[in-house]
Amino acid sequence: MSNIPIITVDGPSGTGKGTICSYLAEWLHWHFLDSGALYRVLALAAEKQGIDKDDDVALEQLAENLNVEFKVAEAGSLVNVLLDGEYVTEEIRTETCGNAASIIAPIATVRKALLARQRAFHQTPGLIADGRDMGTVVFPDATLKIYLTASAEERAKRRYKQLKEKGISANLRGLSADIAERDERDSTRSISPLKPAEDAIVIDTSKLDINTVVANISELVCKRIPGLPKTGG
Ligand code: DC
């Protein structure tokens, strides 16, 4: 593997992964792979084309030919996601799409088809990779591996708050049940299950505010990769 550095951030949703990865990518001016978005776009494309969630062959073909683009409008802004040239940035963020992504994610041929696409993000000057299996499977030689975790209850509360802030009605109990179900599916699947790499640094964010998590991770990054630009905070 080349010596272009990679920082992997894995863990279930609601642990602060997205915020941490955006912060790191902006600070370091590195590339950013949101691997969950790839699985979400695939699920959306399957739905649009009427492909069944258990049609392995059609899903594999779809994954191989998926016309997906990630566009960064400006440094620090949200990464826009396009499917067949159309903006789907918001559409892929729904709970329904997240669940659909989690249902097709265990299919071996789908994961294989998306592997090269994910590895293609590994370009100079460096990569921040966000997902479930970044440190275990996609980038096993990463420079620094972080695994974020938090209690299911806390993650459901965070998600509830996020949705409310966006003006989307939500039900805390329903969200908790969805989170528990998705965790179970993501961590018990036989291929690339959600789990920390053996050499990952595990951080439980249940009782930490996001600024503390950012500060802790920035310190780890500076220790592991010398000569980086100064952090913003
Ligand atoms: O991180 P996310 O919520 O956007 O991911 C959506 C689903 O995609 C997640 O529940 C499981 C799947 N996924 C995966 O299997 N492997 C990844 N590296 C990222 C996501």
Side-chain angles (χ1 to χ4, degrees):
M1 187 166 250
S2 78
N3 52 14
I4 302 169
I6 306 176
I7 299 171
T8 57
V9 184
D10 286 305
S13 55
T15 48
K17 270 186 317 161
T19 311
I20 298 297
C21 288
S22 306
Y23 171 83
L24 292 176
E26 193 186 345
W27 160 33
L28 300 169
H29 296 283
W30 287 8
H31 299 278
F32 174 31
L33 164 62
D34 177 356
S35 61
L38 268 181
Y39 287 92
R40 285 171 183 262
V41 172
L42 181 65
L44 182 66
E47 193 206 312
K48 283 185 193 283
Q49 295 191 21
I51 296 173
D52 231 50
K53 292 192 186 74
D54 54 11
D55 188 344
D56 294 24
V57 178
L59 285 170
E60 179 189 7
Q61 266 183 9
L62 189 63
E64 266 168 8
N65 301 307
L66 196 66
N67 178 11
V68 59
E69 288 167 81
F70 291 92
K71 273 195 186 162
V72 188
E74 56 191 71
S77 74
L78 190 74
V79 178
N80 272 309
V81 186
L82 289 89
L83 168 64
D84 294 326
E86 273 183 34
Y87 284 91
V88 292
T89 318
E90 293 294 327
E91 210 176 338
I92 60 164
R93 291 294 150 207
T94 63
E95 297 302 306
T96 316
C97 194
N99 281 324
S102 164
I103 290 170
I104 58 169
I107 301 172
T109 47
V110 162
R111 301 201 74 85
K112 196 163 162 245
L114 295 181
L115 199 57
R117 227 176 247 271
Q118 296 175 76
R119 290 189 174 147
F121 279 77
H122 184 202
Q123 287 179 25
T124 185
L127 175 67
I128 310 296
D130 169 336
R132 302 286 189 288
D133 61 342
M134 297 296 100
T136 48
V137 175
V138 183
F139 302 111
D141 299 325
T143 325
L144 174 64
K145 299 179 185 178
I146 310 278
Y147 187 91
L148 296 182
T149 175
S151 69
E153 192 193 350
E154 182 59 34
R155 289 187 287 126
K157 278 192 204 151
R158 288 176 188 168
R159 186 68 185 140
Y160 181 74
K161 195 165 159 256
Q162 246 176 19
L163 291 172
K164 283 269 162 189
E165 279 166 7
K166 283 190 195 163
I168 301 169
S169 71
N171 167 305
L172 187 57
R173 202 178 290 172
L175 280 175
S176 291
D178 279 356
I179 284 180
E181 194 185 320
R182 181 127 74 97
D183 282 0
E184 169 77 9
R185 206 166 34 229
D186 291 348
S187 51
T188 56
R189 66 185 180 213
S190 56
I191 301 157
S192 307
L194 169 65
K195 64 167 187 194
E198 272 176 20
D199 50 350
I201 296 167
V202 179
I203 302 174
D204 186 336
T205 70
S206 306
K207 296 199 170 76
L208 301 175
D209 68 64
I210 195 71
N211 294 332
T212 310
V213 184
V214 166
N216 292 350
I217 292 181
S218 301
E219 203 181 315
L220 288 171
V221 171
C222 288
K223 271 193 196 143
R224 184 69 58 92
I225 310 169
L228 292 173
K230 273 198 175 350
T231 60

